[in-house]
């Protein structure tokens, strides 16, 4: 019989969490109650918050005595981040569910994020209909809007809680034979709309060679997720042709992937082929959201909700330095491929972001700074979306993998 963990603040939400427990046990599942509340719980739980806090060297009695909610939340979120994956690794539960407002969501989701991808995780939250990136991160947490506050049981909340409980019950209890998964070796690839032809051609080649290719959309979250999965050992190779997230990180666009982008494969010694796809653009929302200081830049209205801004010569120089620094850290087989006739679909002659001077600066800085003893530099007289470039990148990755 499968077990679902029910985590939450049993010092304030015991009634609501107990309702979920009754629903789950009513459909034949075992439950494991985990308290992350700072103060005295309203009911007994299987896992106590005082013990969870002690695991990270904190005295919960002293913390409760200070009556500092921010401190309590900070300590218990760290404690849960350690406790939840530990309990899972011990075989104590098969899936997890929680209920909460901003505080409860902040307490439990760090631990949910620390669980492996694929472990069922459901968070019923008052903030679920807004920007939940800080709670979900690079994980597969299912966020369920609570509609009303997670406070008390009423005709709406009980329906939402029941649906959420049945969702996690279905995920842990109903096994489906995934016939499409044949345990092929996995390759990660990065793609943007303006590098789609390249990545699709490379993916098809790699699939013909017996690999399964997982494509990540280079939208900030995509890059972060790929880096995390590389760290967790999912991939035998990385086809990182679309490194555009560094433009947003450098200039302040909306699709940045953080300062550690382009590090995971090198540190994990995973073979990687890297290119400069879409380094011609910084991403913003609707055109009226572009910062005032950039109003006179080369802007391209991709659609009503996305505005692209062409990177400058100076910015391309900086991007070249950043990418060189990241790739020079590599401890595994690495190749950098430069498409000398353009880095995206709209960086080509006659297209809105065609920029020979900008691209030349990028290429020159990379040529100057790349450590050739660590990184193989390959230059091709193609646009990144040309078939020759795409297939050459795929073949090079196979070569690095098969060695």
């Amino acid at each position: 019989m499968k077990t679902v963990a029910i985590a939450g603040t049993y010092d304030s939400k015991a009634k609501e969490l107990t309702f979920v427990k009754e629903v789950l046990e009513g459909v034949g599942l075992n439950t494991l109650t985990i308290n992350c509340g700072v103060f005295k719980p309203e009911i007994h739980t299987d896992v106590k918050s005082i013990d969870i806090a002690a695991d990270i060297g904190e005295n919960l009695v002293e913390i409760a005595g200070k009556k500092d909610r921010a401190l309590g939340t900070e300590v218990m979120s760290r404690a849960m981040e350690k406790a939840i994956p530990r309990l899972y690794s011990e075989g104590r539960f098969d899936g997890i569910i929680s209920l909460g407002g901003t505080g409860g969501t902040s307490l439990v989701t760090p631990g949910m994020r620390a669980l492996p991808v694929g472990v069922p995780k459901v968070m019923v939250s008052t903030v679920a209909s807004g920007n939940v990136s800080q709670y979900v991160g690079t994980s597969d947490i299912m966020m369920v809007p609570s509609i009303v506050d997670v406070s008390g049981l009423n005709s709406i909340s009980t329906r939402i809680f029941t649906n959420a409980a049945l969702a996690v019950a279905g995920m842990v209890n109903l096994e489906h034979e995934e016939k499409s998964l044949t345990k092929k070796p996995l390759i990660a690839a990065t793609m943007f709309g303006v590098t789609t032809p390249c990545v699709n051609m490379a993916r098809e080649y790699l699939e013909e060679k017996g690999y399964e290719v997982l494509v990540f959309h280079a939208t900030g979250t995509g890059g972060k997720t790929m880096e995390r999965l590389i760290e967790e050992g999912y991939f035998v190779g990385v086809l990182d042709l679309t490194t555009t997230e560094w433009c947003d990180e450098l200039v302040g666009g909306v699709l940045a992937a953080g300062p550690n982008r382009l590090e995971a494969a090198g540190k994990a010694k995973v073979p990687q082929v890297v290119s400069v796809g879409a380094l011609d653009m910084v991403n913003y929302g609707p055109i009226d959201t572009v910062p005032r200081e950039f109003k006179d830049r080369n802007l391209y209205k991709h659609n009503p909700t996305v505005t692209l801004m062409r990177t400058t010569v100076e910015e391309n120089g900086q991007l070249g330095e950043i990418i060189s620094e990241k790739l020079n850290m590599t401890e595994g087989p690495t190749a950098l491929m430069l498409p000398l006739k353009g880095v995206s679909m709209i960086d080509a002659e006659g297209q809105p972001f065609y920029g020979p001077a900008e691209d030349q600066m990028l290429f020159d800085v990379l040529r100057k700074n790349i450590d050739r003893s660590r990184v193989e530099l390959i230059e091709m007289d193609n646009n990144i979306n040309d078939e020759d470039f795409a297939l050459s990148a795929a073949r090079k990755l196979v070569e690095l993998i098969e060695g």
Side-chain angles (χ1 to χ4, degrees):
M1 187 180 295
K2 299 293 181 68
T3 299
V4 174
I6 308 168
T9 52
Y10 283 84
D11 56 355
S12 62
K13 298 288 188 289
K15 183 187 299 183
E16 297 82 356
L17 293 162
T18 299
F19 177 84
V20 170
K21 174 182 170 70
E22 292 170 353
V23 172
L24 290 168
E25 292 178 348
V27 294
L29 291 170
N30 291 326
T31 57
L32 177 76
T33 52
I34 305 172
N35 181 28
C36 59
V38 175
F39 303 104
K40 184 179 178 180
E42 298 172 356
I43 62 172
H44 169 81
T45 59
D46 300 314
V47 181
K48 299 175 175 59
S49 56
I50 193 167
D51 296 329
I52 293 172
D55 284 344
I56 63 167
E58 298 285 356
N59 187 318
L60 194 60
V61 174
E62 292 181 359
I63 293 169
K66 295 178 181 179
K67 297 182 179 180
D68 184 335
R69 182 176 180 180
L71 173 63
T73 300
E74 187 273 326
V75 169
M76 288 307 300
S77 64
R78 285 193 291 112
M80 291 290 279
E81 186 175 16
K82 179 180 178 181
I84 288 177
R86 174 178 58 78
L87 291 167
Y88 177 75
S89 68
E90 293 172 356
R92 300 283 299 276
F93 66 87
D94 303 286
I96 185 168
I97 186 171
S98 183
L99 321 170
T102 56
T105 306
S106 298
L107 283 166
V108 180
T109 52
M112 287 183 171
R113 291 196 300 269
L115 290 170
V117 170
V119 176
K121 19 183 131 50
V122 175
M123 181 75 225
V124 181
S125 174
T126 59
V127 296
S129 63
N131 181 357
V132 296
S133 59
Q134 63 180 314
Y135 304 112
V136 176
T138 59
S139 74
D140 57 340
I141 298 172
M142 180 183 293
M143 299 288 289
V144 177
S146 63
I147 307 301
V148 294
D149 196 5
V150 182
S151 178
L153 299 175
N154 54 63
S155 58
I156 292 179
S157 67
T158 54
R159 183 73 227 185
I160 300 300
F161 298 162
T162 299
N163 286 345
L166 294 178
V168 74
M171 285 186 274
V172 301
N173 217 23
L174 299 176
E175 297 182 358
H176 173 66
E177 183 182 355
E178 299 178 88
K179 298 179 180 179
S180 62
L181 300 183
T182 55
K183 303 300 181 184
K184 296 178 181 178
L186 297 180
I187 288 175
T190 51
M191 186 170 76
F192 219 39
V194 292
T195 61
T196 296
C198 173
V199 178
N200 279 344
M201 287 183 284
R203 175 180 53 78
E204 290 171 4
Y205 176 88
L206 292 167
E207 289 174 348
E208 289 174 359
K209 293 296 181 180
Y211 296 94
E212 182 178 352
V213 181
L214 305 188
V215 178
F216 295 87
H217 204 186
T219 55
T221 299
K224 289 178 183 177
T225 302
M226 183 185 75
E227 297 273 325
R228 174 189 172 183
L229 295 179
I230 292 170
E231 291 173 354
E232 294 181 0
Y234 277 80
F235 302 111
V236 299
V238 177
L239 192 69
D240 200 352
L241 300 183
T242 311
T243 47
T244 184
E245 288 153 319
W246 265 111
C247 300
D248 292 67
E249 182 71 23
L250 174 67
V251 184
V254 297
L255 302 182
N260 302 119
R261 180 73 172 86
L262 268 178
E263 293 182 4
K267 289 180 179 178
K269 301 180 182 180
V270 176
Q272 60 178 332
V273 172
V274 179
S275 192
V276 290
L279 287 187
D280 55 333
M281 59 188 64
V282 181
N283 293 267
Y284 292 102
I287 197 161
D288 59 0
T289 67
V290 176
R292 185 179 301 274
E293 63 267 29
F294 298 144
K295 293 295 185 182
D296 295 328
R297 294 272 293 267
N298 182 0
L299 302 176
Y300 179 72
K301 192 174 179 181
H302 183 64
N303 61 46
T305 61
V306 176
T307 305
L308 310 177
M309 181 176 76
R310 205 343 170 160
T311 49
T312 65
V313 171
E314 180 183 3
E315 288 162 357
N316 274 274
Q318 294 174 291
L319 290 166
E321 291 174 356
I322 291 168
I323 290 172
S324 297
E325 178 186 354
K326 297 297 181 181
L327 295 186
N328 288 346
M329 297 165 55
T330 186
E331 297 179 26
T334 299
L336 173 64
M337 297 187 62
L338 304 182
L340 301 182
K341 287 189 175 179
V343 302
S344 85
M345 191 181 294
I346 59 174
D347 177 29
E349 192 166 358
Q351 295 299 313
F353 278 6
Y354 182 53
E358 291 88 344
D359 291 349
Q360 192 63 50
M361 174 61 77
L362 173 65
F363 300 149
D364 285 346
V365 171
L366 288 168
R367 292 182 185 112
K368 176 183 177 183
N369 290 286
I370 283 293
D371 182 350
R372 308 295 179 89
S373 67
R374 289 176 173 266
V375 181
E376 180 181 0
L377 184 63
I378 301 169
E379 301 185 30
M380 295 187 66
D381 195 27
N382 296 103
N383 181 277
I384 194 168
N385 289 305
D386 289 348
E387 183 178 10
D388 285 350
F389 187 88
L391 296 181
S392 294
R395 293 187 187 108
K396 172 52 67 174
L397 183 58
V398 172
E399 176 189 320
L400 295 180
I401 293 170
E402 299 181 356

